[in-house]
Amino acid sequence: MPNPANSIARFFQFSRYGTDWQTETLAGITTFMTMGYILAVNPDILSNGIFLAEPGDLFAEIAIATALSAAIATLFMGIVAKYPFALAPGMGLNAFFAFSVTLGMGIDWRVVLAAVFLEGVIFILLTWANLRRWIIDAIPGCLRSATATGIGLFLAYIALSRSPEDGGAGIILDDANTLTRLGDFSQPETLLAVIGILLTGAFVARRVTGALLWGILATAVLAWIAGVTPAPTQLFALPELPKDLWGQAFVGFSRLGTVSLSQFLSVLFALLFVDLFDTVGTLAGVSLQAGYLDRRGELPRANQAFMADAVGTTVGAILGTSTVTTYIESAAGVAVGGRTGFASVVTAALFALSVFFIPLLAAIPPFATAPALLVVGVLMTQNVRSIRWDDPAESIPSFLTIFVMPLSFSIADGLAVGFISYPLMKAFQGKFRETSIASWILAAAFLLKFTLDARGAL
């Protein structure tokens, strides 16, 4: 009778990659620890836009959706693509969902879930038809980097700017005279958020595994000890069926009549664009570290890896969460020796088990996630280095994209400004032929959106 352990080792090709059970298991645990913060941060962010009567009343259901979508997508990555990459609802995209679309545009969250579901289906079709690479080549590299950087600043702004009354850190507040100002550091939430930022920064500087997760937990524990927020009465419990959230994406399709077609397409395009390049950038970076890229710099089984985030996004929308994407934190597992999909299987199992710890996650105050959001913002702004700042045709559109995203509180508007200005700057330089047809089409589409918006047609 064949040994199951040997069969699994052969399936994941342990001998080919020079790895073993212990190494792969440790890698899977390490990856989970480094990205486990999403279990608290994602429900905290989405609760601002997804709720029944008041923000936060669906926190537990969103947490379950977060854990299960991450588990399913990561398991798909491990078994089908056989890479040690983990997936979960993407940072930035969850903020776009909650703050830009549901709060900013006033679109029903069920309709936005429908857009996320449709995004996943489109990506499944594009991946199946091998068109994702063609789309990637059509988009200027500087705008890809600017988008990631702008989202980083957007996340940092969200982390610092929500008031203590709304559960935020209150480090940056509204001001009638100067628009914004520093908050009141005598407020316990604000003071604890600052302490949390310092602690998290120290963990990151010391390269502590799971630094962001430990930063969240440390800030929450301090808040519980100080009596600023109630401590959890229990650490784990059997999860309840999230009846108010699952399947609401399909309900959203029945409510498409509440929004204009241009609004829906604008949201859909922003989701598609950000997810596309977030996944591509992450896969390229982690694959380079792991030594997966071939002589042409391409990733073997790339379509299977792309399919993992497409399937994850589709399933995640049904469960009730925002776009699922590959996480750069997977590099932590690769750094300790993870080389096969078994590491992802371990990470997926841990995400699935986390649904039993919803009481602990629900007791973490929103301001305790501010340090993690801020550090994620810092990491995402590193992309600014690849922009050619000495070329005005790149620097001006890139700067506008980065600048407009946080200040307009809209990823979509930042993308629009960048895509409109890029081909125009190239044309002003006399380099009309260097811009693709796709760039001009996108610019015209976004310009039409702004025109209709200004005339009140949207």
Side-chain angles (χ1 to χ4, degrees):
M1 183 176 180
N3 188 332
N6 291 337
S7 298
I8 294 174
R10 284 195 299 271
F11 178 80
F12 290 107
Q13 298 180 307
F14 281 7
S15 59
R16 175 185 174 183
Y17 292 101
T19 187
D20 53 40
W21 289 92
Q22 181 178 352
T23 301
E24 294 300 301
T25 301
L26 177 61
I29 295 172
T30 301
T31 296
F32 175 79
M33 288 297 295
T34 57
M35 61 184 290
Y37 67 89
I38 195 63
L39 294 169
V41 174
N42 192 58
D44 172 46
I45 291 177
L46 289 182
S47 289
N48 290 278
I50 299 179
F51 57 87
L52 298 178
E54 59 181 5
D57 59 12
L58 289 179
F59 181 97
E61 295 193 19
I62 299 173
I64 292 175
T66 301
L68 293 184
S69 62
I72 293 169
T74 304
L75 185 64
F76 189 101
M77 178 70 80
I79 294 178
V80 178
K82 298 183 182 179
Y83 285 124
F85 306 149
L87 300 91
M91 295 296 295
L93 287 163
N94 50 11
F96 173 67
F97 185 117
F99 296 105
S100 295
V101 183
T102 58
L103 295 181
M105 300 173 66
I107 298 178
D108 187 288
W109 58 267
R110 298 166 185 84
V111 175
V112 190
L113 283 177
V116 174
F117 176 82
L118 186 58
E119 172 205 355
V121 172
I122 291 173
F123 269 150
I124 289 175
L125 296 176
L126 290 177
T127 303
W128 176 76
N130 199 28
L131 292 176
R132 288 180 88 167
R133 187 166 301 166
W134 177 83
I135 296 173
I136 293 165
D137 292 339
I139 307 299
C142 64
L143 291 186
R144 304 179 206 171
S145 300
T147 298
T149 303
I151 291 174
L153 293 181
F154 186 40
L155 289 175
Y157 188 59
I158 290 171
L160 302 181
S161 62
R162 285 186 291 169
S163 67
E165 290 77 14
D166 296 327
I171 296 175
I172 296 176
L173 296 177
D174 295 337
D175 188 273
N177 298 316
T178 61
L179 298 183
T180 58
R181 61 177 174 83
L182 280 177
D184 182 2
F185 292 97
S186 66
Q187 293 289 326
E189 296 88 352
T190 303
L191 183 59
L192 284 169
V194 171
I195 294 173
I197 290 171
L198 294 176
L199 285 173
T200 306
F203 293 150
V204 172
R206 298 294 300 178
R207 302 187 183 280
V208 174
T209 299
L212 302 188
L213 178 60
W214 292 125
I216 291 174
L217 293 176
T219 307
V221 169
L222 289 175
W224 297 335
I225 294 174
V228 176
T229 188
T233 56
Q234 56 183 350
L235 296 181
F236 60 90
L238 292 176
E240 297 181 5
L241 182 66
K243 59 183 184 303
D244 297 310
L245 191 57
W246 287 11
Q248 291 301 304
F250 301 118
V251 176
F253 282 109
S254 68
R255 301 188 180 186
L256 288 180
T258 61
V259 299
S260 68
L261 178 61
S262 56
Q263 278 184 314
F264 187 77
L265 292 178
S266 165
V267 172
L268 179 61
F269 174 78
L271 291 170
L272 285 167
F273 179 86
V274 176
D275 184 23
L276 178 66
F277 294 109
D278 186 40
T279 298
V280 169
T282 299
L283 286 176
V286 181
S287 298
L288 180 63
Q289 177 187 353
Y292 291 134
L293 302 183
D294 59 23
R295 294 178 180 178
R296 295 179 296 178
E298 297 179 351
L299 177 67
R301 307 188 304 280
N303 272 354
Q304 290 90 323
F306 284 142
M307 190 65 77
D309 84 272
V311 170
T313 294
T314 307
V315 173
I318 297 173
L319 295 176
T321 187
S322 54
T323 303
V324 173
T325 186
T326 309
Y327 264 61
I328 193 65
E329 284 83 353
S330 304
V334 170
V336 298
R339 290 296 181 274
T340 75
F342 186 75
S344 290
V345 173
V346 173
T347 304
L350 292 174
F351 270 119
L353 289 174
S354 68
V355 299
F356 296 99
F357 294 88
I358 300 302
L360 173 62
L361 297 174
I364 295 174
F367 63 81
T369 64
L373 284 173
L374 183 64
V375 173
V376 170
V378 171
L379 297 176
M380 294 186 73
T381 55
Q382 295 178 14
N383 291 277
V384 76
R385 292 178 296 188
S386 60
I387 298 172
R388 294 192 300 171
W389 292 102
D390 58 341
D391 182 357
E394 286 198 10
S395 60
I396 293 175
S398 297
F399 179 80
L400 289 174
T401 301
I402 295 168
F403 190 68
V404 169
M405 275 190 190
L407 295 188
S408 67
F409 225 67
S410 171
I411 292 174
D413 286 345
L415 284 174
V417 171
F419 272 104
I420 291 172
S421 59
Y422 178 80
L424 292 176
M425 291 300 108
K426 282 291 187 182
F428 294 156
Q429 280 188 331
K431 299 179 180 179
F432 183 88
R433 294 183 179 179
E434 290 187 12
T435 56
S436 65
I437 297 297
S439 294
W440 285 103
I441 293 174
L442 291 173
F446 276 122
L447 188 60
L448 177 62
K449 174 190 179 300
F450 281 138
T451 302
L452 293 175
D453 193 17
R455 297 177 60 183
L458 292 184

